[in-house]
Amino acid sequence: MSNLHPAGPLPAPKTQRGERTRQKILDAAEREIGARGFSDASIATITAEAAVAQGTFYLYFRSKEEVLRELVLRMGRRLRHHLTLATAGAGDRMQAERLGIRAFLQFVRDNPNLYRVVAESQFVDPAIHRAYYEEFAAGYRVGLEEAEARGEIAPGHAEVRAWALMGVTDMVGRRYAIYDQDRPLDAAAEAAYDFVAHGIGPRAARRAEA
């Protein structure tokens, strides 16, 4: 990542207290960057929000860009864990898609600042922004290929499908979980799933083609 120090991130804290302080700074950075944007957030405002000295910041991070990278990685870890738990009981791939869409929208609504941080990263470090989506898509593609092999979904281009499905949930998430945080999510989730499961073509025509 070009905006990071060539030596890489600083070592992880050796004590629980140090890790708590590091997480406190990350939490504050998530709020600050999510609310202000990367340009307007500063190390000074982040440390003020975290209630730590500015010098403490540099014990754990070399730069604001390094914090952003860690927040993008945090988003990926948290989201994958959340979706894994939400879809663990699915009987097949289509049920997993249905549960996953609803869980994704809830995650976005519950973590709006973290979601905005990922969006901000495309302007700060396109490489980490791209890597975030590529890593997610790679796992998604494998899941679709395995579902196709089990006969749970129709044959198709798994990689294209993965990116298309990510695009659907990403945009629906922006509209109904970020822009409008008061509307119940169930209807939007079901409409998105209906699109995924059935497309937009006339259903009678699709049945005839089948």
Side-chain angles (χ1 to χ4, degrees):
M1 181 172 151
S2 59
N3 288 327
L4 289 181
H5 191 280
L10 293 172
K14 295 181 179 180
T15 66
Q16 291 185 350
R17 180 180 180 182
E19 181 58 28
R20 286 195 297 269
T21 301
R22 183 177 185 274
Q23 293 301 320
K24 190 176 181 181
I25 293 170
L26 282 170
D27 290 341
E30 178 184 323
R31 293 190 295 271
E32 283 292 295
I33 296 173
R36 296 171 178 262
F38 183 83
S39 296
D40 290 338
S42 67
I43 291 174
T45 62
I46 290 169
T47 52
E49 175 69 17
V52 300
Q54 285 194 48
T56 301
F57 177 94
Y58 294 101
L59 297 175
Y60 304 98
F61 304 100
R62 292 190 175 92
S63 65
K64 191 173 60 165
E65 288 80 7
E66 192 169 292
V67 170
L68 182 76
R69 178 181 186 275
E70 180 58 34
L71 289 175
V72 172
L73 296 174
R74 171 191 275 197
M75 170 72 170
R77 290 191 298 266
R78 287 185 177 178
L79 177 56
R80 287 191 294 273
H81 180 68
H82 180 74
L83 294 178
T84 297
L85 293 179
T87 60
D92 58 22
R93 186 67 205 190
M94 294 310 297
Q95 186 181 11
E97 291 294 330
R98 189 174 200 167
L99 294 173
I101 290 170
R102 180 61 177 81
F104 177 83
L105 296 183
Q106 190 64 57
F107 181 89
V108 172
R109 178 163 288 180
D110 293 342
N111 298 272
N113 286 330
L114 200 51
Y115 194 72
R116 294 188 187 104
V117 166
V118 174
E120 283 278 307
S121 71
Q122 67 183 304
F123 306 110
V124 180
D125 194 321
I128 193 63
H129 182 262
R130 177 173 176 172
Y132 167 82
Y133 284 103
E134 287 182 337
E135 184 176 349
F136 197 92
Y140 209 157
R141 175 184 56 78
V142 171
L144 293 173
E145 289 173 343
E146 292 174 347
E148 181 181 330
R150 294 191 299 267
E152 294 176 358
I153 60 174
H157 196 302
E159 184 175 0
V160 171
R161 285 176 164 183
W163 284 92
L165 290 167
M166 287 163 52
V168 169
T169 51
D170 185 38
M171 289 296 103
V172 173
R174 289 174 188 270
R175 170 63 180 84
Y176 293 99
I178 295 292
Y179 301 159
D180 185 354
Q181 297 195 355
D182 296 324
R183 183 177 299 191
L185 292 174
D186 289 340
E190 281 300 303
Y193 172 73
D194 181 72
F195 172 73
V196 168
H198 305 112
I200 60 174
R203 296 188 182 181
R206 288 202 300 274
R207 286 195 297 269
E209 290 176 1

